[in-house]
Amino acid sequence: MTTGAVTTGAVVTGMAWSTALGSDLDEVWRALLSGATGVTPVPSAHPVRNGRAAVVADLPMDLDPVQRQYELGARTLRAAVADAGLDVTDPRLRLVVGTSYGSHLDVPPDGLDRWGEALATGLGMARRPLMVSTACSAGSDAILVGAALIAEGEEEICVVGGVDVLTQAKRLGHSALGTMSPTALRAFDESHDGMVLGEGAAFLVLERDGSAQERGARVRGRLSGTGSANDAAGPTAPDPSGDTVVQAVRTALAAAGRSTGEVGVLNAHGSGTPVNDDVECRAFGSLFAGGAAPVVFATKGAFGHTLGATGALEAVAVLLALRDKQVPPVPGLETVMPGFPLPLPSGAALPFAGEVGLSVTLGFGGFTTCLALEAVA
């Protein structure tokens, strides 16, 4: 097992998302708290295991997948940078962006990095971007890379996040793999039987604390530590022991100088596949045995599984949860799976106490990433 940690010293001065529930930060958050879901029927030209998915409503499905990836990324990146009180042409900005495959399964490019180059160039950004493709952990890993650049003194401000669009090839691929639910995404429910695909984008502006203070920037939270681990157990399924998740979380907390007892909220990967849900169940039981019991929530039942964007979307959700000290109900959760060790909100939002939140993502190929985030008074 390989692991890595970053003690960041970075604050979040801007953030934005585009989701199947909309793009306004507070409106989408209120929709999540109410239990809303963006999963709807989406026509398919070929038979797929589930005819429902979560799509961004004002991004026409008949656009070329390359254009959809660009438009989704561009609008969200602009909004995050504006939220930080900056301009996308600011030469201090370094873009670090992740995707699983974006449009590339349907429209093969010259290289997997071309879409990120096109995004930065199209927006007039002054510097070349860095691209990350680590399956469903790509959005989280883009955040981790940006945090490392700031921690190492290489960058002052990084715009970090993930973008992924729904395509026919992804629907066919997950249908063939059997990871797609034939019914609905019900994370941590005893009847869970797979995930439902979605699309979306999210970006955060990470900034050196001193830089944010100098320009009087509003601070939305702090990224205090990151941790990653890879078990290389297989091309798709994680190590069933949950040890990789445990290692990533402990590494992130150590980097942040925090303990499990200080964690108030945890956003789980919550994909709804029995294998992944079981792995997280074991890991959380090991991490929090006999101690604090943070509230766990999961958003994929509302946003769909957005693949390479999911880690960035969920980082935003954790920061909003820390701000409001409550989490949304887990969509589709009726009867909690046997042995789940921590509180899960079902049917209504649930309050919690604490200033430390975790976001955990699991990706094909064994990629597991944890982000430790904190509220700022």
Side-chain angles (χ1 to χ4, degrees), residues 92-244:
R92 294 174 296 175
L93 302 184
R94 169 73 81 177
L95 173 62
V96 187
V97 62
T99 195
S100 63
Y101 281 103
S103 62
H104 303 149
L105 290 177
D106 298 73
V107 186
D110 294 333
L112 194 55
D113 61 340
R114 296 294 187 266
W115 78 277
E117 294 275 4
L119 181 62
T121 301
L123 291 174
M125 300 189 80
R127 303 167 65 192
R128 293 188 66 184
L130 300 175
M131 274 71 71
V132 178
S133 184
T134 49
C136 301
S137 283
S140 292
D141 287 335
I143 295 171
L144 181 152
V145 170
L149 291 171
I150 289 174
E152 293 165 7
E154 296 293 327
E155 302 292 347
E156 183 177 341
I157 308 173
C158 289
V159 187
V160 296
V163 186
D164 238 320
V165 289
L166 183 73
T167 71
Q168 187 66 52
K170 291 173 188 172
R171 300 182 80 182
L172 290 171
H174 283 281
S175 294
L177 283 170
T179 50
M180 185 185 294
S181 167
T183 56
L185 198 162
R186 297 180 294 274
F188 307 120
D189 190 90
E190 66 176 5
S191 62
H192 55 186
D193 59 3
M195 60 86 155
V196 173
L197 282 170
E199 64 181 6
F203 284 96
L204 299 88
V205 177
L206 294 183
E207 188 165 355
R208 193 184 308 280
D209 200 357
S211 169
Q213 290 182 26
E214 286 173 11
R215 67 184 191 87
R218 174 188 56 185
V219 174
R220 287 190 173 274
R222 182 179 301 277
L223 177 63
S224 52
T226 70
S228 61
N230 192 309
D231 51 52
T236 56
D239 175 3
S241 71
D243 290 348
T244 314

Side-chain angles (χ1 to χ4, degrees), residues 55-70:
V55 296
V56 177
D58 60 348
L59 191 67
M61 289 296 293
D62 58 1
L63 286 180
D64 179 272
V66 174
Q67 187 177 356
R68 296 186 83 247
Q69 179 87 1
Y70 176 85

